[in-house]
Amino acid sequence: MITQEQYRTRVKELLSSGTVKMVIGYKPGSTPDRRRPLFIRTAEEANRLVLDSACITNLSGYLVTEGLLSDEKKVAIFLRPEGIRSINILAAESQLNADQIIILGFDSTGSVVKTLDGTHAGDFSELLGSIKQNSPVKPSEVLFEQVEQMTPAERFAFWQEEFSRCIKCYACRQACPMCYCRRCIVDSNQPQWVNTSSHTLGNFEWNIVRAFHLAGRCVECGNCGRACPVNIPLRLINRRMAQEVIEAFDHFPGLNQTQEPVLASFKKDDSETFIL
Amino acid sequence: MAKIGVFICHCGENIGAKVDCSRLAEALGEHPGVAVSVEYKYFCSDPGQESVKKAIRDNNLTGVVVAACSPRMHEATFRKACAEAGLNPYQCEIANIREQCSWVHTDKDMATEKAMDITRSMVEKVKRNNNLQPIEVPVTRRALVIGGGIAGIQAALDIANAGQEVVLVEREPSLGGHMAQLSETFPTLDCSQCIMTPRMVEAAQHPNIRLLTYAEIESVDGYIGNFKVKVRMKSRCVDMNSCTGCGDCITKCPLKKIPSEFDCGLGKRTAIYTPFAQSVPNKPVIDKANCIYFKNGKCKICTKSCQFNSINFEMQDEFIELEIGAIVVATGFQVQNNAQYGEYGYGKYPDVINGLQFERLASASGPTAGKILRPSDGKEPQTVVFIQCAGSRDPSKGVRYCSKICCMYTAKHAMLYAHKVHDGKTHIFYMDIRAAGKGYDEFSRRAIEEDEASYVRGRVSKVWQENGKLMVRGVDTLLGKPVEIAADMVVLATTMIPQPDAKEFAKTIGIGYDEYGFYNEAHLKLRPVESSTAGIFLAGACQSPKDIPDSVAQASASASKVLALFSKDKLEREPVIAINNEATCAGCWGCVLACPYNAIEKKDILDRSGRLIKRVAFVNPGLCQGCGTCVTFCRSNSIDLAGFTEKQIFAEVMGL
Ligand SMILES: Cc1cc2nc3c(=O)[nH]c(=O)nc-3n(C[C@H](O)[C@H](O)[C@H](O)COP(=O)(O)OP(=O)(O)OC[C@H]3O[C@@H](n4cnc5c(N)ncnc54)[C@H](O)[C@@H]3O)c2cc1C
Ligand code: SF4
Ligand code: SF4
Ligand code: SF4
Ligand code: SF4
């Protein structure tokens, strides 16, 4: 647990010196393998922090909670590489100023946690670049391959079945750091584009809209899937969209703060294969 | 309460034959909110329009749906009629039951059902239409002409002679384009240079024309009446002001063997050069790719020879920003490289040349001073074989289209050759002779009857070298026999194709192109000189293969379009623009980036004490073109398009 101790010391320094006004990290959760977010403002609280391989939630979404960064003070936050990518995207989409974010980077293999060198998003560009080289980020899984092999009709039936459980709680949206809009399209009812009722049409509408809004922005942190109370395998959709975007535009989201949003930018050499 | 009038047009038989208009009128009459539902043979006719106006007045209609042809045809017609009857014109919509229904269906019952759906859906939209007012935008009265070939020069002169300002941009060191390379021109055989060079000089000296040669368009922003254009002035390394064009530098340059582009590789030039003797402007440029100094830092012999100190090796590219009201694109063509036809031996045998090279051989200003001498040994060829359609009308290896001018220039070449080599023999392999045009058929008949060109109808399968001759094997399809001709020279009538960078360039300036890269007109028949981008017009061979008369005619037509635009102080624009909801905007700037017209700005929302609350997107109504790109991009659904609001579209969809 050397890393946890190192980081607690770092956090104490950061808070007692006044470098940051808040640290966002993890504390124990309701079961031994769950962790909850922890927000601390004083050095004394640092000992409540835990850091181990069970710390998997991408905490970056808390940074864009209304007003947190508006006083231009700094905030430190524990992040895995996916979380650092989220910071880059949020900065590229003008939702935060990355200079205000002190990153306490970590990653884990098995139960071993290691620290990542660097304090600001820009310091991790080499690491993120190497992740792009090795993308897909996560090792492929059996279910994903199975869905890929299905005929369109089978795949439709598969998702219809999966989505039939969706209760439109929008927990997936709340959990996603990229879903920061003040008013989400599903909350707009003049007109009501996305049907709120829990039937095939409404369920497809919501989940397809979600997939498109995250295309080229999702970092596959898995927050959405873990938040889903009915265990819809949202990661399969995220993975598929990530693949589409990298194949069509060679775009790997979150590499740096100047990356243009892929679906809002045009390049002369963009492939036109999708234009009918 | 909504009182909608539905006017169902038969369009003669066009709609009437496939859609039961009486049934349609009856069904729509029962639709909620519809006050009047009538049919008529031709609503676009004068009595038709009058009946619409009368119905509006008599029934106090709040909205009108004309179920007829495409809105591209008559939306403007009916909106005007509505305005005349006192209704806001944007309360009128067209339900397209012709192109999208009667023309594409055969079953009358089903077509009628579909027409009902289409019309109902439009009624639902119109119920939610708002009164809109047109937007006025100023017009910058300055035209940009891109390309200084005959088409560009003609357009520039016409606009300038009408008293308007023109900027003429040519990327080569001199004006002229391909016409300057031609020897004599069909169908009159006047000398190309003699009719071209005075035009070039006139353009260069015209007080209303600003000529920028050796210049390229970097970017085009803005919209009709208000373009912002950035031009790169490539560094010539020669100061245009002090250089007198004496040419001392050219004589002294030690590099004398660079193949001349102007002479299609048949002649040579130096590294500091003008493309040809009559260049306009007649001031040299340094070819940096070949110049010894640029290669290894030594030489500068030209600098020493220049009495005016005009040569400056440090010169950098410069950028000029222009405010422009209208653009004429006249970027011309290139000839296809025939090396891809291995069987003709182009590129392998020096005496197999293309048509443009023949022009240079026949031209008095060319490398042989107008004598027809073959490239390999400089001897006068006694037998010349011409191969037409070398690349044209050949879906397998070349292009599918007819290059249009090659039949004519081949006949011309045969004549020019006969006039210069009196005992020479010509054989022309052809597929058809396409000589439509004033004086054209007479011209090609003359080649056959007076100048004894022997036309062989058939294709050539192979050209090879044997005993110092070029053996041409082909077939005479009229006799049904193979033929073999021993020739001294072979001339390929090479296809005109788009400029190598045509597609890229189209993207830079924002116009459409076809599968080959020729620029698309807005309507092939009715709007042949307008591109689909408002304020950008087309002239010459950049649109399709053209000869000089066609290029000039189109250039003058473009000029008249530009002048019509410049005849007004202000342009009236459709009020179809985007509006952003500042309360819901998340400030992600996706729309700012996505907008192809740079119409969206970032706006600060401040509280009373001037503190920044948040930043949101703001659509500049003067710049927005109403394309809707931002609407589709915005994830928070904050942007709406006037005339196509989400409510309207939703109602339209739900009405189906
Ligand atoms: C072998 C041959 C023989 C012919 N003989 C005849 C004949 O006898 N009679 C006849 O009527 N027609 C003849 N033609 C056709 C004639 O050459 C064309 O009709 C005419 O040249 C078309 O003029 P243009 O201005 O459209 O294009 P071009 O002459 O190609 O001029 C285009 C100009 O635009 C410039 N340009 C291109 N891109 C850019 C850019 N991005 N920015 C700035 N400048 C640019 C080019 O450098 C060039 O100067 C012949 C053609 C060929 C190939
Ligand atoms: S969509 Fe899911 S996996 Fe992707 S960034 Fe959002 S929460 Fe993470
Ligand atoms: S979290 Fe799951 S159930 Fe809730 S809206 Fe998202 S997909 Fe549906
Ligand atoms: S895309 Fe939408 S949310 Fe983003 S800045 Fe534009 S209007 Fe605002
Ligand atoms: S509709 Fe939107 S994207 Fe299109 S021009 Fe207007 S602001 Fe730009």
Side-chain angles (χ1 to χ4, degrees):
Chain A
M1 286 297 169
I2 177 96
T3 324
Q4 172 169 304
E5 280 318 311
Q6 282 173 346
Y7 273 145
R8 281 184 182 169
T9 321
R10 248 329 282 293
V11 165
K12 281 177 198 159
E13 276 166 26
L14 285 170
L15 285 168
S16 53
S17 66
T19 314
V20 301
K21 66 167 181 177
M22 180 192 274
V23 174
I24 307 179
Y26 303 91
K27 68 178 177 186
S30 46
T31 62
D33 57 351
R34 285 199 183 175
R35 299 291 171 260
R36 288 188 164 191
L38 175 68
F39 305 85
I40 56 174
R41 290 180 183 269
T42 60
E44 292 72 58
E45 294 170 287
N47 287 338
R48 294 173 59 204
L49 284 167
V50 290
L51 186 68
D52 55 25
S53 57
C55 297
I56 42 179
T57 304
N58 177 357
L59 301 175
S60 58
Y62 294 110
L63 294 169
V64 288
T65 318
E66 207 101 9
L68 177 65
L69 298 171
S70 60
D71 56 7
E72 293 179 12
K73 291 194 179 133
K74 292 188 173 164
V75 171
I77 180 167
F78 282 80
L79 293 173
R80 288 177 179 265
E82 301 88 75
I84 303 173
R85 286 170 61 200
S86 312
I87 299 291
N88 279 329
I89 302 173
L90 290 169
E93 296 183 0
S94 303
Q95 300 303 309
L96 51 71
N97 173 0
D99 294 341
Q100 267 175 277
I101 316 298
I102 306 284
I103 294 173
L104 302 163
F106 71 99
D107 203 355
S108 65
T109 13
S111 63
V112 185
V113 176
K114 65 167 198 263
T115 60
L116 301 177
D117 290 336
T119 51
H120 286 88
D123 304 338
F124 300 91
S125 52
E126 218 167 280
L127 169 77
L128 300 180
S130 72
I131 298 181
K132 176 185 176 188
Q133 293 308 311
N134 302 325
S135 66
V137 190
K138 304 271 168 60
S140 202
E141 61 170 283
V142 180
L143 185 55
F144 182 78
E145 294 306 329
Q146 280 172 358
V147 176
E148 288 288 283
Q149 297 309 318
M150 290 178 185
T151 63
E154 287 167 347
R155 206 176 302 134
F156 188 84
F158 170 82
W159 283 113
Q160 189 167 5
E161 175 64 28
E162 290 292 331
F163 290 155
S164 69
R165 299 196 302 280
C166 177
I167 51 171
K168 301 282 183 56
C169 66
Y170 305 129
C172 48
R173 175 190 77 188
Q174 285 328 98
C176 176
M178 292 300 122
C179 283
Y180 51 70
C181 286
R182 288 174 179 81
R183 182 200 64 186
C184 174
I185 180 167
V186 295
D187 301 329
S188 139
N189 57 8
Q190 286 288 337
Q192 183 87 52
W193 281 116
V194 181
N195 211 303
T196 49
S197 46
S198 222
H199 54 43
T200 308
L201 177 66
N203 292 347
F204 265 95
E205 278 174 346
W206 160 236
N207 280 288
I208 289 172
V209 165
R210 202 193 72 85
F212 270 94
H213 283 192
L214 272 316
R217 306 168 69 234
C218 169
V219 296
E220 297 190 64
C221 65
N223 276 13
C224 50
R226 284 189 298 274
C228 179
V230 293
N231 293 325
I232 297 175
L234 299 173
R235 60 182 187 286
L236 304 184
I237 301 176
N238 300 334
R239 159 62 52 82
R240 178 71 223 179
M241 291 310 278
Q243 270 183 6
E244 289 287 338
V245 170
I246 201 146
E247 277 162 23
F249 305 106
D250 190 31
H251 183 89
F252 184 75
L255 278 183
N256 55 56
Q257 298 160 38
T258 52
Q259 221 175 5
E260 291 182 340
V262 69
L263 295 190
S265 55
F266 303 96
K267 293 198 189 69
K268 284 190 191 155
D269 56 355
D270 277 348
S271 66
E272 293 179 4
T273 46
F274 56 93
I275 296 173
L276 297 176
Chain B
M1 222 198 60
K3 276 194 200 158
I4 311 293
V6 178
F7 301 90
I8 294 152
C9 183
H10 295 204
C11 194
E13 286 283 281
N14 273 303
I15 295 171
K18 284 287 168 297
V19 171
D20 182 338
C21 294
S22 309
R23 241 182 87 204
L24 180 57
E26 207 174 302
L28 264 295
E30 283 157 23
H31 191 84
V34 174
V36 183
S37 178
V38 288
E39 55 177 312
Y40 185 64
K41 218 165 180 65
Y42 294 105
F43 268 116
C44 57
S45 68
D46 202 38
Q49 292 188 47
E50 281 309 319
S51 73
V52 174
K53 289 188 218 169
K54 186 167 179 319
I56 295 175
R57 291 197 197 98
D58 292 352
N59 301 282
N60 276 328
L61 295 181
T62 58
V64 163
V65 172
V66 184
C69 47
S70 153
R72 284 190 66 141
M73 255 342 257
H74 280 311
E75 187 181 72
T77 315
F78 290 111
R79 286 196 163 164
K80 196 162 149 265
C82 287
E84 281 162 12
L87 190 68
N88 183 288
Y90 296 94
Q91 295 291 0
C92 168
E93 295 283 352
I94 309 292
N96 181 353
I97 58 167
R98 190 179 79 174
E99 284 84 344
Q100 291 177 1
C101 187
S102 65
W103 275 2
V104 288
H105 296 299
T106 46
D107 183 313
K108 193 163 180 173
D109 277 339
M110 282 163 76
T112 307
E113 294 290 326
K114 179 170 169 185
M116 286 179 194
D117 278 344
I118 295 175
T119 315
R120 278 195 199 110
S121 140
M122 267 306 157
V123 170
E124 285 306 309
K125 181 184 182 200
V126 169
K127 284 185 189 168
R128 290 157 182 86
N129 275 17
N130 301 313
N131 286 350
L132 302 174
Q133 304 305 330
I135 299 176
E136 287 198 329
V137 285
V139 182
T140 309
R141 289 205 181 102
R142 185 181 299 114
L144 169 69
V145 177
I146 309 172
I150 185 61
I153 292 177
Q154 181 70 35
L157 284 174
D158 284 355
I159 300 169
N161 285 337
Q164 304 291 353
E165 270 182 62
V166 181
V167 182
L168 175 56
V169 173
E170 166 58 53
R171 68 172 166 199
E172 297 299 327
S174 169
L175 285 177
H178 285 98
M179 190 173 157
Q181 287 173 284
L182 305 182
S183 51
E184 283 158 26
T185 53
F186 64 76
T188 46
L189 288 191
D190 33 10
C191 144
S192 188
Q193 291 253 355
C194 316
I195 53 178
M196 183 66 176
T197 38
R199 289 287 169 107
M200 291 158 53
V201 175
E202 193 185 341
Q205 294 177 348
H206 202 292
N208 286 341
I209 299 181
R210 177 172 178 196
L211 175 61
L212 304 176
T213 51
Y214 214 45
E216 275 178 37
I217 307 296
E218 278 287 301
S219 63
V220 174
D221 291 320
Y223 54 95
I224 181 170
N226 298 276
F227 293 105
K228 292 209 168 29
V229 180
K230 191 163 162 193
V231 181
R232 175 194 291 270
M233 301 296 300
K234 294 182 280 185
S235 85
R236 298 177 93 101
C237 295
V238 171
D239 174 35
M240 291 283 275
N241 293 325
S242 58
C243 168
T244 61
C246 69
D248 285 350
C249 51
I250 300 176
T251 359
K252 292 281 154 51
C253 177
L255 275 181
K256 301 214 185 299
K257 295 230 160 108
I258 304 169
S260 151
E261 296 81 2
F262 186 78
D263 283 334
C264 305
L266 296 176
K268 306 273 184 269
R269 64 163 172 84
T270 45
I272 185 164
Y273 74 108
T274 55
F276 52 106
Q278 298 75 21
S279 289
V280 172
N282 191 20
K283 301 190 177 174
V285 297
I286 292 185
D287 164 10
K288 300 193 193 67
N290 282 302
C291 167
I292 305 174
Y293 177 78
F294 279 100
K295 275 192 177 151
N296 54 29
K298 284 196 213 78
C299 183
K300 285 202 177 179
I301 293 178
C302 51
T303 324
K304 285 165 218 138
S305 72
C306 178
Q307 308 162 41
F308 306 96
N309 245 332
S310 298
I311 299 171
N312 172 6
F313 282 89
E314 312 307 319
M315 196 181 274
Q316 297 296 317
D317 290 3
E318 280 172 24
F319 294 93
I320 301 181
E321 311 254 352
L322 301 168
E323 309 255 324
I324 296 291
I327 300 176
V328 177
V329 182
T331 49
F333 68 102
Q334 64 169 330
V335 292
Q336 195 180 33
N337 178 359
N338 286 104
Q340 66 195 86
Y341 301 95
E343 64 269 35
Y344 295 152
Y346 184 83
K348 186 158 145 212
Y349 309 125
D351 295 334
V352 179
I353 62 174
N354 70 27
L356 207 49
Q357 288 173 314
F358 189 89
E359 294 285 341
R360 294 314 299 146
L361 288 183
S363 169
S365 70
T368 54
K371 290 204 182 69
I372 309 284
L373 303 175
R374 60 185 200 172
S376 62
D377 53 9
K379 287 211 187 102
E380 193 167 75
Q382 295 308 307
T383 307
V384 180
V385 167
F386 292 89
I387 304 177
Q388 287 195 186
C389 297
S392 315
R393 304 169 68 197
D394 176 2
S396 59
K397 272 170 145 181
V399 296
R400 268 189 292 131
Y401 58 83
C402 163
S403 181
K404 195 172 175 190
I405 57 160
C406 316
C407 287
M408 291 305 296
Y409 78 59
T410 302
K412 173 183 79 175
H413 289 171
M415 285 162 105
L416 294 178
Y417 174 71
H419 298 169
K420 294 190 184 209
V421 184
H422 297 293
D423 47 359
K425 207 64 218 97
T426 52
H427 303 270
I428 303 176
F429 284 88
Y430 74 105
M431 292 213 263
D432 307 283
I433 300 176
R434 298 186 164 174
K438 190 167 178 177
Y440 283 15
D441 201 53
E442 298 89 315
F443 183 82
S444 63
R445 296 306 311 170
R446 228 167 89 200
I448 301 170
E449 285 156 16
E450 292 176 20
D451 293 313
E452 291 168 12
S454 134
Y455 276 79
V456 186
R457 189 173 193 284
R459 303 291 287 160
V460 169
S461 59
K462 198 171 175 198
V463 176
W464 73 98
Q465 219 163 17
E466 204 174 285
N467 305 326
K469 290 278 185 188
L470 286 166
M471 301 303 295
V472 181
R473 179 183 296 149
V475 60
D476 185 332
T477 52
L478 295 181
L479 295 177
K481 278 204 293 208
V483 275
E484 230 174 74
I485 298 166
D488 301 309
M489 191 160 90
V490 172
V491 183
L492 306 177
T494 315
T495 314
M496 279 172 123
I497 59 168
Q499 292 279 9
D501 61 341
K503 291 184 182 175
E504 275 304 298
F505 190 66
K507 290 180 193 171
T508 304
I509 56 177
I511 58 174
Y513 50 85
D514 66 14
E515 60 185 297
Y516 304 104
F518 285 118
Y519 298 150
N520 276 348
E521 55 295 313
H523 189 289
L524 194 54
K525 284 163 278 181
L526 300 181
R527 294 168 67 196
V529 306
E530 296 162 76
S531 77
S532 42
T533 307
I536 305 188
F537 305 96
L538 307 173
C542 62
Q543 184 213 15
S544 66
K546 282 197 184 70
D547 54 26
I548 299 165
D550 283 0
S551 300
V552 170
Q554 199 190 9
S556 291
S558 281
S560 83
K561 292 277 171 194
V562 171
L563 293 170
L565 183 67
F566 287 180
S567 67
K568 301 182 208 110
D569 283 337
K570 286 195 184 319
L571 279 178
E572 232 177 46
R573 275 220 357 246
E574 292 258 308
V576 176
I577 52 162
I579 302 153
N580 184 25
N581 179 346
E582 295 177 352
T584 56
C585 170
C588 70
W589 312 142
C591 55
V592 176
L593 206 64
C595 175
Y597 301 96
N598 289 330
I600 309 185
E601 298 156 14
K602 301 175 185 175
K603 175 175 161 186
D604 292 346
I605 307 249
L606 309 173
D607 66 9
R608 272 189 225 155
S609 56
R611 261 196 18 222
L612 181 71
I613 303 176
K614 65 171 185 173
R615 302 187 75 199
V616 294
F618 171 74
V619 181
N620 180 331
L623 297 178
C624 172
Q625 298 295 294
C627 69
T629 308
C630 56
V631 180
T632 55
F633 178 80
C634 180
R635 286 182 290 267
S636 66
N637 230 22
S638 298
I639 316 181
D640 228 348
L641 198 61
F644 294 89
T645 61
E646 304 246 330
K647 274 189 204 167
Q648 288 172 297
I649 292 184
F650 194 78
E652 213 179 315
V653 176
M654 298 317 272
L656 283 177

